[in-house]
Every structure is written in C-alpha cells, then in structure tokens.
Amino acid sequence: MNTYSIENEYIKIEFLTKGATVVSIRKKETNTEYILSYKNIDRYVNNVYYFGATIGRNAGRTYPTEYTNFSGNKIKLKPNENKVYLHGGEHGLDSVEWKLSILEADFALLEYKDSNPDYEKSSVNVIYQLIGKNFVIRYLGNAEIPTIFNLTNHSYFNLNGNRDYSTVKNHYLKIEESELQIVDDDFIPTEKYSDMKNKYQNFDFSDGKKIIEAFDVDNDLSRKCKGGIDLAYCFKKNVISTPKIEIWSDDRKNGLRIYSNQESCVIYTLNKLIDSEEEFQKYQGITFEMQKRPNYIHSLSGDCLQTNYYNYIRYEIL
C-alpha cells in the first residue's frame, strides 16, 4: 500500500488508495494529529475499525438485509455484523483499491468503477481538497440505472495530540439541533426518534458539553451502546453554511467544525474493541459519519434509488 499526501500552509493530509482511506489529518501550526491511525500500515489490509476509510455503497446498518432495485427485483444482501448488513458488507468500498487519477499539491481525485453485484454498476469518485484551513471531501456517484448511493468517511478524531494516554471523554462537543434515531434491541435503526428532552437527554449536545456527560447513563440506549455513543443524529435543518458539529480538545486549543449537505450524522465513540486489541483503548476516538439516515432504504421506498449522488463534507481545522 502506498501513502500519498496533499498539503497547504495550514494542513497536511495523508491517504491510501486502498479504501480511499485518510490516515492523517495534521494541523501544521501546532503539529497536532487530529485522527487515529494504525502504527503498522499492514493493519489497514483488514481495517476492522474502518479507520479513515471511505464507506459505501451503503453506509450504516441495514435490516432486513434486502432492498428492491429499479427493476422491481428484491436484492438480498449478505449480513456481516450478526444479522445486519453494515457499511456496504464484506466487499464495501473500504476494502477495494481506488485509482489515483489526479494528485496536485492541495488536491487529489480517486476513482473506482463499482461492479459489486449487490447494486447496479456505477462510477464513484472521491475528491480530497485543501482550501485554507479547511479539508473538503466530496463523494460523487454516477450510474445509468438508479441505484443505492450512501457514502461517508469513517475517521476517528482525537484532538488532544498525545493520544497514547488520552480518550475523548473530556472533549467539548456541540451538535446542531437534531433528533436521535432510536435503535432496537438488535441495534437495528428504527423509524422512531427522540428529541432528547426526556430520559435520553444525556445524548443532547445542542447546547454543547463534555462528551463524558453522555456516557454510562441508566437508560436503555446507553446500555445498547456499551456505555458510549453509537447513534444517528438526524438534523432538523439542513443548512450547509452552518456547522453541524463542533468539537474541541480537552484544553480547548485544538478545534474542529464540520459542515455537510447530509441529513444525519452517525456518531460513534469507539465503544467496542476486539478482545486482542492492544494499540487502542475504549473511547479513544470519535467518528462523525455524515450520511443519509441509517436504514433509509426501508423508509423511502423507491426514492432511495438515484443516478447521480453528491456528498459534501468540510472539516474546518481550528
């Protein structure tokens, strides 16, 4: 696997063509690394935590593991997390080799011709671009026959710099006004939502607070999330010019604002580690997966299929 980079005066980004995976977001002013990465690059061959990967064709959890395609045929999807289809399955976009078509100082274009039999054939592009203090990701999809597109990036952020000894528990987090998507006992996203003004208020970050205030609370969602966060926040407004997420390091010296055109953000605080894990600890990072709301293919009927797709994510490095 080869590592490539783009950089400007403020930010340096490193990425792999395998999975179009971001392996470093570095704030040059303080030489602070913003995301988690494996020390041994070989761990990206089987990237069990999806560190920095491009997720697709359908991000999030899907159940029942099927959908109806444009021809009206029911397409079965192979489960890869218990009985659930997660992040595009065993052969998702995180596992394939992308073609690096353009590499300039502050711009990169990666392309992939997707012939996964679960979906109609399509062309998928990822653009990485630096604009001042902003790292912009654009996901573009095109297909002749309407199909499923729902991509996202799966970077885990930790803004403390010295990550070997720190978690994100005392990071300050603010989330744009949203509703929380409820998951059932099998961790399947439902069509039920909470405004977080009741027993789920621990998950409400609309006014901003430390992440630890959401942890290990005595309610069913907290128990399902193993004490942390692993839930979708569905935004009440979808305005691209205002940040959907704002997060700061423990000492408030390093910050991040995230802007996107997506309707929801799945937030996950690395609650579940494999038994043999020695390099990382629980709650060491936090993901912000900007995407369509999980399990949307079972709530939108035919509207879930499209020929052209565009996902815009902008990370403002503070």
Side-chain angles (χ1 to χ4, degrees), residues 22-80:
V22 178
V23 297
S24 175
I25 300 176
R26 186 167 293 275
K27 177 182 175 181
K28 295 174 74 172
E29 179 184 0
T30 56
N31 197 32
T32 301
E33 179 58 60
Y34 266 44
I35 63 173
L36 301 185
S37 60
Y38 300 113
K39 292 177 181 177
N40 184 345
I41 196 172
D42 290 338
R43 288 196 68 179
Y44 286 100
V45 174
N46 181 26
N47 187 357
V48 293
Y49 304 121
Y50 300 97
F51 276 1
T54 292
I55 303 298
R57 291 266 291 275
N58 187 20
R61 292 178 173 86
T62 299
Y63 187 85
T65 53
E66 62 184 23
Y67 75 99
T68 302
N69 70 7
F70 187 70
S71 299
N73 300 317
K74 205 141 291 234
I75 304 299
K76 297 291 185 181
L77 303 170
K78 184 180 178 182
N80 61 319

Side-chain angles (χ1 to χ4, degrees), residues 19 29 51 89 103 137 144 157 187 210 233 235 270 305:
E29 179 184 0
F51 276 1
L103 180 62
I137 298 178
E144 292 185 4
F157 290 88
F187 222 83
K210 288 185 176 181
Y233 288 76
F235 303 111
L270 198 55
L305 307 176

